[in-house]
Each structure stands twice: as structure tokens, then as C-alpha cells.
Amino acid sequence: MMLLMAMCGISVQASTVVAVGTGEAGGQRTGQSAVWHDPSGDAGLQAAITALQAGQFKPLASAGSTGLKKGSYWSFFELHNTRQQQLPLRLEYVDHQLIRLRAYVREAGAGGEFREVADQAMGEPFARRPVFHNRFVVPVTLDAGEITGFLVRFDSEEAGFVFPSMRIWSPDALSKSHTGETAVLAFLFGGIALISLFSLIVGVTTGDSSFFAYFVYGISKIIAWGTILGFTHQYVVQNHFHWSYMSAAGALSIFCGVVFDRLFLQTHKYTPRLDYLLLLMMVNAGVLLVSALLQLKQVALISITLALLFYPLMTFVALVRWRQGSSEAAVFAIGWTLLLTGLFYQALRDLGLVEHNLLNYYLPPLSSFVEMVTIMAAMGIKLRRVRLQGLESERQYRRHLEQSKVKLEGLVRARTEELEKAKQQAEMEARTDPLTGIRNRRSFLAEAELCLKRAYRKGEPVSLLMFDIDHFKSINDNHGHGIGDEALRQFSHTIQAKIRETDVFGRLGGEEFALLITETRPDALHTAERLRDNITGIRLPSGEEEVQFTSSIGVACAHQTQTLEQLMREADEALYAAKQGGRDRVVEYAQSNADAHATLSREEPQPA
């Protein structure tokens, strides 16, 4: 083959020959020993052959990248099959930043003519690719002992970074490598998805908008890296894919990242001047998105470059916030610096200053994952700080109340009228249930004791009604504690609106209430039935339905020798009998005893 190519006037360099055999695992590369740049991007196969014959193909001067250049790049290399049988190979383009790849092969039996063996483009349906891979792969087969020459054209359209090199694989090794790469990225994307979901849950729980922004930021990262690395084209948008999708996904991720950073670092509040630069980053991300949608590649490249230049600003802002006392900002700076390290190394690779390999190829998404984990730790520190601040505020509030109480008592002793009123107000609040606005247990017991003694003194009848909202737990479980609280308030308001000012009404705890009235036994039972009927008319809106509930009432009528404690115990027993009897009913204490005695000769009924 080398003799044939020399006879045809093609200059052959020994360095262009790559010996291949079985078990090729991507360790060998091709294409960088003889590279030709066509600035116009219009040169065809014949022009490339002419340049090859004229010795214009030169070794690539950089570590692997052509840098940001216009036009097309051609590489020439030869593969020498050292085996004595046919050898199937896969030639894989080393990077994802390529719009189109064309490959030509020249065989001894082809009369010295190059023939096209591959023409792959990013915008073509993915199903047309001969090998199922997120990067361009050219399948070739070499005859036994054959030395085969190849010409490969790399196009980035307008301007772009090109890596004129192909990794050499055996079919099985490439398949295993691709499976491994996909598994690693699936792990990284899954980790980012879990972090994002956790952030969403915390955001819903705490109401902190920065957690919601972090959730959106994480999802945008998955979309961006999946699109940039070619997996979106491979698995999602298999038809009509365009390079602008990569720029648009990157713009979306940058925009969401800056939004999150502003919320997390609170730059608008604490660093307003630096916040203007972050707003400028958001505008630049918007320009990148628009240029991608309008397919303005030059503008998109400039916007991406500006975005990368602005990225170190975020670390500086975080360090400023750390100096201001935000401990989580220091951890944020570490995470953002790790991301910058990956992106900076990618920039060095794109500029051809460092060698291109799988490690630095996947370093940016890996550093992006590490950044997400690190910043999540920073958000945990922030959440803990906010919690501690809340506890400290609560402790200060309690200390303040204690101090106010001491001060209030001292001023009361000094007979200050103004503070006497404040004391009375405080005492009223201490006697009031905060949810329903009626007497709490302590206030009810004190007032009921006085009312009972006064009734005994005057010879007036006294009755105690004890209420319990039926199935209150199911209201909380099915409709939420907000509806449960509203049920307690409406219940209290309904009772309070139907009783006299001299009656003593209070909440004993939970869904249990008590009412002391100076009425005879028939009137007390009538009042209990009337109140029970009023309770059944309460309606609470809950979504598309209304919540209705009932109440069981136990009634105990006092005698001149009974204490309040005995009266409450009798009313409680009557209430228990009402609930055992089917709920939504009024049961008097004497009646409950009779019923309990009558059931001794029968089987115990199933509880309601």
C-alpha cells in the first residue's frame, strides 16, 4: 500500500502508520500526524488529495485541539493490520463538538482511488448512524496484513473546536466502553436528580425560595450535560437534532445557576454592587439562548466565552459573603471552585494546551456533580443556621416575656394605672385558648368553681355539659390540621353564640369542651339538644367538598353537696356513654348509669 501511494505521488510519512491488532481498546489514536486546515471549508476530496500530494498535511502543533478556527480540518493516517486475517475495527471521534464527519478509504484493489465509507452529521436522524453511540463512530474492516490509508474530514461549521483524532477500538471493546460511560453518567445524573428532589422537598417544607431554585438548577444541569454530551440526541431527540440545542441547554443551565446563586448568597441585599454583575450574567445567558434559537453560532460562541469569563466572579462574591459572616458561603465557594476547575481544564483542552482523554472529557460533568453535592452541604449549613437563629429568637422571646412579667409585677406594685391595664390584658390572654378565643382549661376550672359556689349559695340549679367532636382525628387525617383547627374555631363560635354571658364555656383540651349553666335538669337537656343540633349545621369548605361533623354531649346535674371535680367526672362518664351509644347524641349521667347497668346481662356491644 505504501508503495502504491508513493507511485501515485502521495507523500507518505512513517508516523502516519498505526499498527493495529486484536483487542484494540481505544488506547491508540489516529489523525494527528498529518493534518490539513481548509479555512474556506469548501474543499472537497480532490482538493484534500492534492494538498496531501503537495505535502501540506503537517503534524498538529497543539496537544490535541485545533483551537477556535473557521473552516474544515482533514487528517490522513494509515492502519496496518498485523493479523493474518480480516480485522473489524471501530474508529471513534474523540469529542462531541463536531457538526459533521466524512471518512474516505483507499484500498489496494480500488485502483488508488479514495472512496467514501462514512458521512455522519449531527442534524441527521440518529438511526442513520452505523454504530449506536453518542459520538461519531466509523466502522471499518482491514484485510489480513493490509495497510489502509484514510482521509477524514472534520467540520464544525463557521467556527468551532476540532479534535482531528479517532480512537481505535475493537467492536466489543467499544460496546463495553460505551456501556460503562453511560452507566457512570446515569449515576451522576441520578445523583443530581436525587439532590434536586430533596431540595424540592425541603423547599416545600420550609418555603425557602433558594431550595426551589436549586431544584430547577439541578434539572437544568441534567438537561444541559445530557444534550452537550450527545445523549439527548441518542435517546430523546433522535430526529431533527441541531447544534443549537446544546447552546440553548447550556444557556438555560447558566441562567438557572445565576438565579440560584443570587437567592442563596442574597446578593441583592448584602452585595448590591456585585449583584449588578450577576444580573449582567443573566442577560448574557439570555443572549446565548436567543442566539442559539436563531442559530447565530458566532454570537453563541462569544456569549459562552463571556459566561466562562464571568464564572470566577461567583467565587469572589461567595468569599465576600463569607467575610460578611455567612459560613455557608465558604462551602459554596469551594463547590463553585470545583466546578470552575472542571470548566477551566475543559477550556485548556479546547484550546489545545492539554491532551484530550476520557478523564478530562468527563471532568466538567463530574465537577458539576461534585459542585451540586458541595453546595447541597452549604444549603444544609444554611438551613441549620436559620433553625438555630429561630431557636435563639424563641429563647430571647421567652426571656423577654419573663422579664416583662417581672417588670409588670413591679410596676403594678407601684400602682401605675397604665401598667395595671397591661397586666389585666396579659392575664386575659393567659386565660384564653389561643386557637378558639374562649376560656382555656385553667380559666374554665377557676370560673366554674366560683359559679358553682355562687349557685349553691343562692339555691340555683346547676348543670354541666361536656362536649366532644365526633371522629375529630379523621378530620385532621383526611383534610389536614388546618381544617381541623377551623372545625374547633367554628365549634366554639357556634356554642358561644347560643349561650348566655353568665354561662361558663371553655376548652379543656384537644376536641373536648365544657359548659356550666345555671339551669334545671329539663332545661339543661333541652339546651344540650339545641346545641347538638346547631353543631350539625356547621359546614367547612375543603377543596371541592364540605366538611360536616357532629358532637357527643354528656350532661350532669349538680346537687348541693357535689364538687366541680365530681360533676366533671359524672359529665365525662355520660359523654363516654354517648360515644359508646353511637355518637351525635345527648346522654344524661343518670341515664348512662342505668344503661350501663342494663347491659351487664347482655353481651358487650361493639364500639362505635
Side-chain angles (χ1 to χ4, degrees), residues 401-530:
L401 286 181
E402 293 173 359
Q403 294 170 359
S404 298
K405 180 180 178 181
V406 172
K407 183 178 180 180
L408 180 63
E409 291 175 350
L411 293 176
V412 167
R413 287 192 296 267
R415 300 182 302 276
T416 303
E417 181 179 356
E418 180 180 357
L419 291 183
E420 178 65 29
K421 295 179 180 179
K423 176 186 174 184
Q424 294 174 358
Q425 178 67 25
E427 290 176 349
M428 184 191 71
E429 292 177 354
R431 295 192 302 268
T432 303
D433 176 60
L435 177 63
T436 60
I438 62 175
R439 291 181 177 88
N440 58 19
R441 182 184 184 92
R442 177 184 175 186
S443 175
F444 171 81
L445 294 177
E447 190 68 24
E449 186 73 34
L450 294 175
C451 183
L452 188 64
K453 291 179 180 179
R454 187 165 52 249
Y456 285 169
R457 229 177 14 251
K458 296 180 179 180
E460 297 175 344
V462 180
S463 297
L464 179 65
L465 282 64
M466 193 166 289
F467 303 79
D468 189 279
I469 299 178
D470 297 329
H471 305 295
F472 181 75
K473 184 177 183 299
S474 65
I475 297 177
N476 279 330
D477 293 343
N478 297 331
H479 303 281
H481 289 278
I483 296 298
D485 292 346
E486 185 61 23
L488 294 174
R489 284 191 289 266
Q490 291 297 326
F491 176 91
S492 303
H493 296 164
T494 300
I495 298 297
Q496 204 165 24
K498 302 296 181 180
I499 62 177
R500 299 167 298 185
E501 291 183 358
T502 56
D503 298 332
V504 182
F505 179 49
R507 182 184 179 189
L508 301 181
E511 67 273 20
E512 192 171 77
F513 297 78
L515 173 64
L516 187 71
I517 55 178
T518 54
E519 291 182 359
T520 61
R521 173 182 170 276
D523 291 337
L525 293 175
H526 176 73
T527 298
E529 285 290 349
R530 175 171 56 83

Side-chain angles (χ1 to χ4, degrees), residues 13 31-37 51-52 54-61 74:
Q13 303 177 27
Q32 294 185 337
S33 298
V35 178
W36 176 59
H37 180 206
L52 184 62
Q56 297 179 14
F57 278 66
K58 304 293 182 182
L60 191 66
W74 292 75

Side-chain angles (χ1 to χ4, degrees), residues 24 52 61 96 120-121 141 163 187 197 211 386 402 440 528:
E24 293 292 339
L52 184 62
H96 57 270
Q120 302 177 29
T141 300
F163 299 85
F187 171 79
L197 181 60
F211 284 93
V386 172
E402 293 173 359
N440 58 19

Side-chain angles (χ1 to χ4, degrees), residues 189-208:
F189 290 168
I192 294 176
L194 287 177
I195 292 173
S196 301
L197 181 60
F198 177 76
S199 181
L200 175 63
I201 294 173
V202 175
V204 172
T205 304
T206 63
D208 191 332

